Amino acid sequence: MGLVANAGPLIALARVGKLDLLPAAYAEILVPDAVYREVTQDPLLPGAHEVGQARWLRSVPVTDTRAVARMRFWLDQGESEAIVLAQDRA
């Protein structure tokens, strides 16, 4: 079974040194490109280094940009892309 992750769980698990729980529990861990950028863009942010070094984590582009744009009224870019990617994978 696979997992589509948002920034919050990645940052929280990295902060407590438990990011390795994800590949132990899921065969595939995907994050949309916006989430990957959000977590890794500033090397001083919690989890940036750990997520950037996680070779089991796969950053993927979201193809349904119209669905993402509709959600942007309520959510940020990363959250919108995560929901759309999860819906596409279901």
Side-chain angles (χ1 to χ4, degrees):
M1 176 165 63
L3 170 76
V4 174
N6 190 16
L10 296 174
I11 293 167
L13 287 169
R15 277 185 138 170
V16 297
K18 295 295 183 181
L19 195 59
D20 60 329
L21 290 175
L22 291 176
Y26 298 96
E28 180 178 49
I29 298 100
L30 305 175
V31 293
D33 289 343
V35 169
Y36 189 82
R37 284 190 307 273
E38 180 182 338
V39 176
T40 62
Q41 72 184 353
D42 182 348
L44 299 178
L45 290 176
H49 177 74
E50 294 85 346
V51 170
Q53 297 298 312
R55 299 295 166 231
W56 43 263
L57 187 68
R58 210 171 93 204
S59 178
V60 295
V62 173
T63 57
D64 191 350
T65 56
R66 292 179 71 193
V68 172
R70 285 192 301 272
M71 290 187 185
R72 291 286 290 129
F73 182 77
W74 298 280
L75 304 169
D76 72 18
Q77 186 71 27
E79 291 168 330
S80 300
E81 286 191 16
I83 291 169
V84 171
L85 181 59
Q87 288 175 331
D88 286 347
R89 305 283 299 178

Coordinates of all heavy atoms in Angstrom, one line a residue:
M1 N 0.8 -1.2 0.0 CA 0.0 0.0 0.0 C 0.9 1.2 0.0 O 1.9 1.3 0.6 CB -0.9 0.0 1.2 CG -1.7 1.2 1.4 SD -3.1 1.2 2.5 CE -2.3 1.0 4.1
G2 N 0.4 2.3 -0.7 CA 1.2 3.5 -0.8 C 0.6 4.6 0.1 O -0.5 4.5 0.6
L3 N 1.4 5.7 0.2 CA 1.0 6.8 1.0 C 1.3 8.1 0.3 O 2.4 8.2 -0.3 CB 1.7 6.8 2.4 CG 1.6 8.1 3.2 CD1 0.3 8.1 3.9 CD2 2.8 8.1 4.2
V4 N 0.4 9.1 0.3 CA 0.6 10.4 -0.2 C 0.7 11.3 1.0 O -0.2 11.3 1.8 CB -0.5 10.9 -1.1 CG1 -0.2 12.4 -1.5 CG2 -0.5 10.1 -2.4
A5 N 1.9 11.9 1.2 CA 2.1 12.7 2.5 C 2.1 14.2 2.2 O 2.5 14.7 1.2 CB 3.5 12.3 3.1
N6 N 1.6 14.9 3.2 CA 1.6 16.3 3.3 C 2.8 16.8 4.1 O 3.5 15.9 4.8 CB 0.3 16.9 3.8 CG 0.1 18.4 3.7 OD1 0.8 19.0 2.9 ND2 -0.8 18.9 4.4
A7 N 3.1 18.0 4.2 CA 4.3 18.5 4.9 C 4.2 18.2 6.4 O 5.2 17.9 7.0 CB 4.5 20.0 4.7
G8 N 3.1 18.4 7.0 CA 2.9 18.3 8.5 C 3.5 17.0 9.0 O 4.3 17.0 10.0
P9 N 3.0 15.9 8.6 CA 3.5 14.6 9.1 C 5.0 14.4 8.9 O 5.7 13.9 9.7 CB 2.7 13.5 8.4 CG 1.5 14.2 7.9 CD 1.9 15.6 7.6
L10 N 5.5 14.8 7.7 CA 7.0 14.7 7.4 C 7.8 15.5 8.4 O 8.8 15.0 9.0 CB 7.3 15.2 6.0 CG 6.6 14.4 4.9 CD1 6.9 15.0 3.5 CD2 7.1 12.9 4.9
I11 N 7.4 16.7 8.6 CA 8.1 17.6 9.6 C 8.0 17.1 11.0 O 9.0 17.0 11.7 CB 7.5 19.1 9.5 CG1 7.8 19.7 8.1 CG2 8.1 19.9 10.6 CD1 7.1 21.0 7.8
A12 N 6.8 16.7 11.4 CA 6.7 16.2 12.8 C 7.5 14.9 13.0 O 8.2 14.8 14.1 CB 5.2 15.9 13.0
L13 N 7.5 14.0 12.1 CA 8.2 12.7 12.3 C 9.7 13.0 12.2 O 10.5 12.4 13.0 CB 7.8 11.7 11.2 CG 6.5 11.1 11.4 CD1 6.1 10.3 10.2 CD2 6.5 10.2 12.6
A14 N 10.2 13.9 11.4 CA 11.6 14.3 11.3 C 12.0 14.9 12.6 O 13.1 14.7 13.1 CB 11.9 15.2 10.1
R15 N 11.2 15.8 13.2 CA 11.5 16.5 14.4 C 11.8 15.5 15.6 O 12.6 15.8 16.4 CB 10.4 17.4 14.8 CG 10.4 18.7 14.2 CD 9.4 19.6 14.7 NE 9.9 20.9 14.9 CZ 9.2 22.0 15.2 NH1 7.9 21.9 15.4 NH2 9.8 23.1 15.3
V16 N 11.1 14.4 15.6 CA 11.2 13.5 16.7 C 12.1 12.3 16.3 O 12.2 11.3 17.0 CB 9.9 13.0 17.3 CG1 9.1 14.1 17.8 CG2 9.1 12.2 16.2
G17 N 12.8 12.4 15.2 CA 13.7 11.3 14.7 C 13.0 10.0 14.3 O 13.6 9.0 14.4
K18 N 11.8 10.1 13.9 CA 11.0 8.9 13.5 C 10.6 8.9 12.0 O 9.6 8.2 11.7 CB 9.8 8.7 14.4 CG 10.2 8.5 15.9 CD 10.9 7.2 16.0 CE 11.2 6.9 17.5 NZ 11.9 5.6 17.6
L19 N 11.2 9.6 11.2 CA 10.9 9.7 9.8 C 11.0 8.3 9.2 O 10.2 7.9 8.2 CB 11.8 10.6 9.0 CG 11.3 11.1 7.6 CD1 9.9 11.7 7.7 CD2 12.3 12.0 7.0
D20 N 11.8 7.4 9.7 CA 12.0 6.1 9.2 C 10.8 5.2 9.4 O 10.7 4.1 8.9 CB 13.2 5.4 9.8 CG 13.1 5.3 11.3 OD1 12.5 6.2 12.0 OD2 13.7 4.4 11.9
L21 N 9.8 5.6 10.2 CA 8.6 4.8 10.4 C 7.8 4.7 9.1 O 7.1 3.7 8.8 CB 7.7 5.5 11.4 CG 8.2 5.4 12.9 CD1 7.2 6.1 13.8 CD2 8.3 3.9 13.3
L22 N 7.9 5.8 8.2 CA 7.1 5.8 7.0 C 7.5 4.6 6.0 O 6.6 3.9 5.6 CB 7.2 7.1 6.3 CG 6.5 8.3 7.0 CD1 6.7 9.6 6.3 CD2 5.0 8.0 7.1
P23 N 8.8 4.5 5.7 CA 9.1 3.3 4.8 C 8.9 2.0 5.4 O 8.8 1.0 4.7 CB 10.5 3.6 4.4 CG 11.1 4.4 5.5 CD 10.0 5.3 6.0
A24 N 8.9 1.9 6.7 CA 8.7 0.7 7.4 C 7.2 0.3 7.3 O 6.9 -0.9 7.3 CB 9.1 0.8 8.9
A25 N 6.3 1.3 7.2 CA 4.9 1.0 7.2 C 4.3 1.0 5.8 O 3.2 0.4 5.6 CB 4.2 2.0 8.0
Y26 N 4.9 1.7 4.8 CA 4.3 1.8 3.5 C 5.4 1.4 2.4 O 6.5 1.8 2.5 CB 3.9 3.2 3.3 CG 2.8 3.7 4.2 CD1 3.1 4.4 5.4 CD2 1.5 3.4 3.9 CE1 2.1 4.8 6.2 CE2 0.5 3.7 4.8 CZ 0.8 4.4 6.0 OH -0.2 4.8 6.8
A27 N 4.9 0.7 1.4 CA 5.8 0.3 0.3 C 6.2 1.5 -0.6 O 7.3 1.5 -1.1 CB 5.0 -0.7 -0.6
E28 N 5.3 2.5 -0.7 CA 5.6 3.7 -1.5 C 5.2 4.9 -0.8 O 4.0 5.0 -0.3 CB 4.9 3.5 -2.8 CG 5.1 4.7 -3.8 CD 4.4 4.4 -5.1 OE1 3.2 4.1 -5.1 OE2 5.1 4.6 -6.2
I29 N 6.0 5.9 -0.7 CA 5.7 7.2 -0.1 C 5.9 8.3 -1.2 O 7.0 8.5 -1.6 CB 6.5 7.5 1.2 CG1 6.2 6.5 2.2 CG2 6.1 8.9 1.7 CD1 7.3 5.4 2.3
L30 N 4.8 9.0 -1.5 CA 4.8 10.0 -2.5 C 4.5 11.4 -1.9 O 3.7 11.4 -0.9 CB 3.8 9.8 -3.6 CG 3.8 8.4 -4.3 CD1 2.6 8.3 -5.3 CD2 5.1 8.3 -5.1
V31 N 5.1 12.4 -2.4 CA 4.8 13.7 -2.0 C 4.7 14.6 -3.3 O 5.5 14.4 -4.2 CB 5.8 14.4 -1.0 CG1 5.8 13.7 0.3 CG2 7.2 14.4 -1.6
P32 N 3.7 15.4 -3.4 CA 3.7 16.3 -4.5 C 4.9 17.3 -4.5 O 5.4 17.6 -3.4 CB 2.4 17.1 -4.4 CG 1.9 16.8 -3.0 CD 2.6 15.6 -2.5
D33 N 5.3 17.8 -5.6 CA 6.4 18.6 -5.7 C 6.3 19.8 -4.8 O 7.3 20.2 -4.2 CB 6.6 19.1 -7.2 CG 7.1 18.0 -8.1 OD1 7.6 17.0 -7.6 OD2 7.0 18.2 -9.3
A34 N 5.1 20.4 -4.6 CA 5.0 21.6 -3.8 C 5.3 21.3 -2.3 O 5.9 22.1 -1.6 CB 3.6 22.2 -3.9
V35 N 4.9 20.1 -1.9 CA 5.2 19.7 -0.5 C 6.7 19.5 -0.3 O 7.2 19.9 0.7 CB 4.4 18.4 -0.1 CG1 4.9 17.8 1.2 CG2 2.9 18.7 -0.1
Y36 N 7.3 18.8 -1.3 CA 8.7 18.6 -1.2 C 9.5 19.9 -1.1 O 10.4 20.1 -0.2 CB 9.2 17.8 -2.4 CG 10.7 17.4 -2.2 CD1 11.0 16.2 -1.4 CD2 11.7 18.1 -2.8 CE1 12.3 15.9 -1.3 CE2 13.0 17.7 -2.6 CZ 13.3 16.6 -1.9 OH 14.6 16.2 -1.7
R37 N 9.1 20.9 -1.9 CA 9.7 22.2 -1.9 C 9.5 22.9 -0.5 O 10.4 23.5 0.0 CB 9.2 23.1 -3.0 CG 9.8 22.8 -4.4 CD 9.5 23.8 -5.4 NE 8.0 24.1 -5.5 CZ 7.2 23.4 -6.3 NH1 7.6 22.4 -7.0 NH2 5.9 23.7 -6.3
E38 N 8.3 22.8 -0.1 CA 7.9 23.5 1.2 C 8.7 23.0 2.4 O 9.1 23.7 3.2 CB 6.4 23.2 1.5 CG 5.9 23.8 2.7 CD 4.4 23.4 3.0 OE1 3.7 23.1 2.0 OE2 4.0 23.5 4.1
V39 N 9.0 21.7 2.4 CA 9.7 21.1 3.5 C 11.2 21.3 3.3 O 11.9 21.4 4.3 CB 9.4 19.6 3.6 CG1 10.2 18.9 4.7 CG2 7.9 19.4 3.9
T40 N 11.8 21.2 2.1 CA 13.2 21.2 2.0 C 13.8 22.6 1.5 O 15.0 22.7 1.5 CB 13.6 20.2 0.9 OG1 13.0 20.5 -0.3 CG2 13.2 18.8 1.4
Q41 N 13.0 23.5 1.1 CA 13.6 24.8 0.6 C 14.5 25.6 1.5 O 15.4 26.2 1.1 CB 12.5 25.7 0.0 CG 11.6 26.3 1.0 CD 10.5 27.1 0.4 OE1 10.4 27.2 -0.8 NE2 9.6 27.6 1.2
D42 N 14.1 25.6 2.8 CA 14.9 26.3 3.8 C 15.7 25.3 4.6 O 15.0 24.6 5.5 CB 14.1 27.2 4.6 CG 14.8 28.0 5.6 OD1 16.0 27.8 5.9 OD2 14.2 28.9 6.2
P43 N 17.0 25.1 4.5 CA 17.7 24.1 5.2 C 17.7 24.3 6.7 O 18.0 23.4 7.5 CB 19.1 24.2 4.7 CG 19.2 25.5 4.1 CD 17.9 25.9 3.6
L44 N 17.2 25.4 7.2 CA 17.2 25.7 8.7 C 15.8 25.2 9.3 O 15.7 25.2 10.5 CB 17.4 27.2 9.0 CG 18.8 27.7 8.5 CD1 18.9 29.2 8.8 CD2 19.9 26.9 9.2
L45 N 14.9 24.9 8.4 CA 13.6 24.5 8.9 C 13.6 23.1 9.5 O 14.4 22.2 8.9 CB 12.5 24.6 7.8 CG 12.1 26.0 7.4 CD1 11.1 25.9 6.3 CD2 11.5 26.7 8.6
P46 N 12.8 22.8 10.5 CA 12.8 21.4 11.0 C 12.4 20.4 10.0 O 11.5 20.6 9.2 CB 11.8 21.4 12.1 CG 11.6 22.9 12.5 CD 11.9 23.6 11.2
G47 N 13.2 19.3 9.8 CA 12.9 18.3 8.9 C 13.5 18.5 7.5 O 13.5 17.5 6.7
A48 N 14.0 19.6 7.2 CA 14.5 19.9 5.8 C 15.6 18.9 5.4 O 15.5 18.3 4.3 CB 15.0 21.3 5.7
H49 N 16.6 18.8 6.3 CA 17.7 17.9 5.9 C 17.3 16.5 5.8 O 17.6 15.7 4.9 CB 18.8 18.1 7.0 CG 20.0 17.2 6.7 ND1 20.9 17.4 5.7 CD2 20.3 16.0 7.3 CE1 21.7 16.4 5.7 NE2 21.5 15.6 6.7
E50 N 16.5 16.0 6.8 CA 16.1 14.6 6.9 C 15.2 14.2 5.7 O 15.4 13.2 5.1 CB 15.3 14.3 8.2 CG 16.1 14.5 9.4 CD 16.2 15.9 10.0 OE1 15.9 16.8 9.2 OE2 16.6 16.0 11.1
V51 N 14.3 15.1 5.3 CA 13.4 14.8 4.2 C 14.2 14.9 2.9 O 14.1 14.0 2.0 CB 12.2 15.8 4.1 CG1 11.4 15.7 2.8 CG2 11.3 15.5 5.3
G52 N 15.1 15.8 2.8 CA 16.0 15.9 1.6 C 16.9 14.7 1.4 O 17.2 14.4 0.3
Q53 N 17.2 14.0 2.5 CA 18.1 12.8 2.4 C 17.3 11.5 2.3 O 17.9 10.5 2.1 CB 19.0 12.8 3.6 CG 19.9 13.9 3.7 CD 20.9 14.0 2.6 OE1 21.5 13.0 2.2 NE2 21.0 15.2 2.0
A54 N 16.0 11.6 2.4 CA 15.2 10.4 2.4 C 15.0 9.9 0.9 O 14.2 10.3 0.2 CB 13.8 10.6 3.0
R55 N 15.9 8.9 0.6 CA 15.9 8.4 -0.8 C 14.6 7.5 -1.1 O 14.3 7.3 -2.3 CB 17.1 7.5 -1.0 CG 18.4 8.3 -0.9 CD 18.5 9.4 -2.0 NE 19.5 10.4 -1.6 CZ 19.3 11.7 -1.6 NH1 18.2 12.2 -1.9 NH2 20.3 12.5 -1.3
W56 N 13.9 7.1 -0.1 CA 12.7 6.3 -0.3 C 11.5 7.2 -0.6 O 10.4 6.7 -1.0 CB 12.4 5.4 0.9 CG 12.6 6.1 2.2 CD1 13.8 6.1 3.0 CD2 11.7 7.0 2.8 NE1 13.6 6.9 4.1 CE2 12.4 7.5 4.0 CE3 10.5 7.5 2.6 CZ2 11.7 8.4 4.9 CZ3 9.8 8.4 3.4 CH2 10.5 8.8 4.6
L57 N 11.6 8.5 -0.4 CA 10.6 9.5 -0.7 C 10.6 9.9 -2.1 O 11.6 10.3 -2.6 CB 10.8 10.7 0.3 CG 9.7 11.7 0.3 CD1 8.4 11.1 1.0 CD2 10.2 12.9 1.1
R58 N 9.4 9.8 -2.8 CA 9.4 10.2 -4.2 C 8.5 11.4 -4.4 O 7.3 11.5 -4.1 CB 8.8 9.0 -5.0 CG 9.3 8.9 -6.4 CD 8.9 7.7 -7.1 NE 7.7 8.0 -7.8 CZ 6.7 7.2 -8.1 NH1 6.9 5.9 -7.8 NH2 5.7 7.5 -8.8
S59 N 9.2 12.5 -4.9 CA 8.5 13.7 -5.2 C 7.9 13.6 -6.6 O 8.7 13.3 -7.6 CB 9.5 14.9 -5.1 OG 8.8 16.1 -5.5
V60 N 6.6 13.9 -6.8 CA 6.0 13.7 -8.1 C 5.2 14.9 -8.5 O 4.6 15.6 -7.6 CB 5.1 12.4 -8.2 CG1 5.9 11.2 -8.0 CG2 4.0 12.5 -7.1
P61 N 5.1 15.3 -9.7 CA 4.3 16.4 -10.1 C 2.8 16.0 -10.2 O 2.5 14.9 -10.4 CB 4.8 16.7 -11.6 CG 5.3 15.4 -12.1 CD 5.9 14.7 -10.9
V62 N 2.0 17.0 -9.9 CA 0.5 16.8 -10.0 C 0.1 17.2 -11.4 O 0.4 18.3 -11.8 CB -0.2 17.6 -8.9 CG1 -1.7 17.5 -9.1 CG2 0.2 17.1 -7.5
T63 N -0.7 16.4 -12.1 CA -1.1 16.7 -13.4 C -2.4 17.4 -13.5 O -2.6 18.2 -14.5 CB -1.2 15.4 -14.3 OG1 -2.1 14.5 -13.6 CG2 0.2 14.7 -14.4
D64 N -3.3 17.3 -12.6 CA -4.6 18.0 -12.7 C -4.5 19.4 -12.0 O -4.9 19.6 -10.9 CB -5.6 17.1 -12.0 CG -7.0 17.7 -12.3 OD1 -7.2 18.8 -12.8 OD2 -8.0 16.9 -11.9
T65 N -3.9 20.3 -12.7 CA -3.6 21.6 -12.2 C -4.9 22.4 -12.0 O -5.0 23.3 -11.1 CB -2.7 22.4 -13.1 OG1 -3.2 22.4 -14.4 CG2 -1.3 21.8 -13.1
R66 N -6.0 22.1 -12.7 CA -7.3 22.7 -12.6 C -7.9 22.4 -11.2 O -8.4 23.2 -10.5 CB -8.2 22.4 -13.7 CG -7.7 23.0 -15.0 CD -8.6 22.6 -16.2 NE -9.9 23.3 -16.0 CZ -11.0 23.1 -16.7 NH1 -11.0 22.1 -17.6 NH2 -12.1 23.8 -16.5
A67 N -7.8 21.1 -10.8 CA -8.3 20.7 -9.5 C -7.5 21.4 -8.4 O -8.1 21.8 -7.4 CB -8.2 19.2 -9.4
V68 N -6.2 21.5 -8.6 CA -5.4 22.2 -7.6 C -5.8 23.6 -7.5 O -6.0 24.2 -6.4 CB -3.9 22.1 -7.9 CG1 -3.0 23.0 -7.0 CG2 -3.4 20.6 -7.8
A69 N -6.0 24.3 -8.6 CA -6.4 25.7 -8.6 C -7.8 25.9 -7.9 O -7.9 26.9 -7.2 CB -6.5 26.2 -10.0
R70 N -8.7 25.0 -8.1 CA -10.0 25.1 -7.4 C -9.8 25.0 -5.9 O -10.5 25.7 -5.1 CB -11.0 24.0 -7.9 CG -11.5 24.3 -9.3 CD -12.6 23.3 -9.6 NE -12.3 21.9 -9.5 CZ -11.8 21.2 -10.6 NH1 -11.5 21.8 -11.7 NH2 -11.5 20.0 -10.4
M71 N -8.9 24.2 -5.4 CA -8.7 24.1 -4.0 C -8.0 25.2 -3.3 O -8.0 25.4 -2.1 CB -8.0 22.7 -3.7 CG -8.9 21.6 -3.9 SD -8.0 20.1 -3.4 CE -9.1 18.9 -3.9
R72 N -7.2 25.9 -4.1 CA -6.4 27.0 -3.6 C -7.2 28.1 -2.9 O -6.6 28.9 -2.2 CB -5.5 27.6 -4.8 CG -4.5 26.7 -5.3 CD -3.3 26.5 -4.4 NE -2.6 27.8 -4.3 CZ -2.2 28.4 -3.3 NH1 -2.5 27.9 -2.1 NH2 -1.5 29.5 -3.3
F73 N -8.5 28.2 -3.2 CA -9.3 29.2 -2.5 C -9.3 28.9 -1.0 O -9.3 29.8 -0.2 CB -10.7 29.1 -3.0 CG -11.6 30.1 -2.4 CD1 -11.6 31.5 -2.8 CD2 -12.5 29.7 -1.4 CE1 -12.4 32.4 -2.2 CE2 -13.4 30.7 -0.8 CZ -13.3 32.0 -1.2
W74 N -9.2 27.6 -0.6 CA -9.3 27.3 0.8 C -8.0 26.8 1.4 O -7.7 26.8 2.6 CB -10.3 26.1 1.0 CG -11.7 26.5 0.7 CD1 -12.6 27.2 1.4 CD2 -12.4 26.2 -0.5 NE1 -13.7 27.4 0.8 CE2 -13.6 26.8 -0.5 CE3 -12.0 25.6 -1.7 CZ2 -14.6 26.7 -1.5 CZ3 -12.9 25.5 -2.7 CH2 -14.2 26.1 -2.6
L75 N -7.1 26.2 0.6 CA -5.9 25.5 1.1 C -4.6 26.1 0.4 O -4.7 26.8 -0.6 CB -6.0 24.0 0.7 CG -7.2 23.3 1.3 CD1 -7.3 21.9 0.7 CD2 -7.1 23.2 2.8
D76 N -3.5 25.8 1.0 CA -2.2 26.3 0.4 C -1.9 25.3 -0.8 O -2.5 24.3 -1.0 CB -1.1 26.4 1.4 CG -0.6 25.1 2.0 OD1 -0.8 24.1 1.4 OD2 0.1 25.2 3.0
Q77 N -0.8 25.6 -1.5 CA -0.4 24.9 -2.6 C -0.1 23.4 -2.3 O -0.5 22.5 -3.0 CB 0.8 25.5 -3.3 CG 1.2 24.9 -4.6 CD 0.2 25.2 -5.8 OE1 -0.5 26.2 -5.8 NE2 0.2 24.3 -6.7
G78 N 0.7 23.2 -1.3 CA 1.1 21.8 -0.9 C -0.1 21.0 -0.5 O -0.2 19.8 -0.9
E79 N -1.0 21.5 0.3 CA -2.2 20.8 0.7 C -3.1 20.4 -0.5 O -3.6 19.3 -0.6 CB -3.0 21.6 1.8 CG -2.3 21.7 3.1 CD -3.0 22.7 4.0 OE1 -3.6 23.7 3.5 OE2 -2.9 22.6 5.2
S80 N -3.2 21.4 -1.3 CA -4.1 21.2 -2.5 C -3.5 20.1 -3.4 O -4.2 19.2 -3.9 CB -4.2 22.5 -3.3 OG -4.8 23.5 -2.5
E81 N -2.2 20.2 -3.6 CA -1.5 19.2 -4.5 C -1.6 17.8 -3.8 O -1.8 16.8 -4.5 CB -0.1 19.5 -4.8 CG 0.0 20.7 -5.8 CD 1.4 20.9 -6.3 OE1 2.3 20.0 -6.1 OE2 1.7 21.9 -6.9
A82 N -1.4 17.7 -2.5 CA -1.5 16.4 -1.8 C -2.9 15.8 -2.0 O -3.0 14.6 -2.2 CB -1.1 16.6 -0.3
I83 N -3.9 16.5 -1.8 CA -5.3 16.0 -2.0 C -5.5 15.5 -3.4 O -6.0 14.4 -3.6 CB -6.3 17.1 -1.5 CG1 -6.2 17.3 0.0 CG2 -7.7 16.6 -2.0 CD1 -7.0 18.4 0.5
V84 N -5.1 16.3 -4.4 CA -5.3 16.0 -5.8 C -4.5 14.7 -6.1 O -5.0 13.8 -6.8 CB -5.0 17.1 -6.7 CG1 -5.0 16.7 -8.2 CG2 -6.0 18.3 -6.5
L85 N -3.3 14.7 -5.7 CA -2.4 13.5 -5.9 C -3.0 12.2 -5.3 O -3.1 11.2 -5.9 CB -1.0 13.7 -5.4 CG 0.0 12.6 -5.7 CD1 0.1 12.3 -7.2 CD2 1.3 12.9 -5.0
A86 N -3.5 12.3 -4.1 CA -4.1 11.2 -3.4 C -5.4 10.7 -4.1 O -5.6 9.5 -4.3 CB -4.5 11.6 -1.9
Q87 N -6.2 11.7 -4.6 CA -7.4 11.3 -5.4 C -7.0 10.6 -6.7 O -7.7 9.7 -7.1 CB -8.2 12.6 -5.7 CG -8.9 13.1 -4.5 CD -9.6 14.4 -4.7 OE1 -9.3 15.2 -5.6 NE2 -10.7 14.7 -4.0
D88 N -6.0 11.1 -7.3 CA -5.5 10.5 -8.6 C -5.0 9.1 -8.4 O -5.2 8.2 -9.3 CB -4.4 11.3 -9.2 CG -4.9 12.6 -9.9 OD1 -6.2 12.8 -10.0 OD2 -4.1 13.5 -10.2
R89 N -4.4 8.8 -7.2 CA -3.9 7.5 -6.9 C -4.9 6.5 -6.4 O -4.6 5.3 -6.3 CB -2.7 7.6 -5.9 CG -1.6 8.6 -6.3 CD -0.7 8.1 -7.3 NE -0.1 6.9 -6.7 CZ 0.8 6.2 -7.4 NH1 1.2 6.6 -8.6 NH2 1.4 5.1 -6.9
A90 N -6.1 7.0 -6.0 CA -7.1 6.1 -5.4 C -7.8 5.3 -6.5 O -7.8 5.5 -7.6 CB -8.1 7.0 -4.7

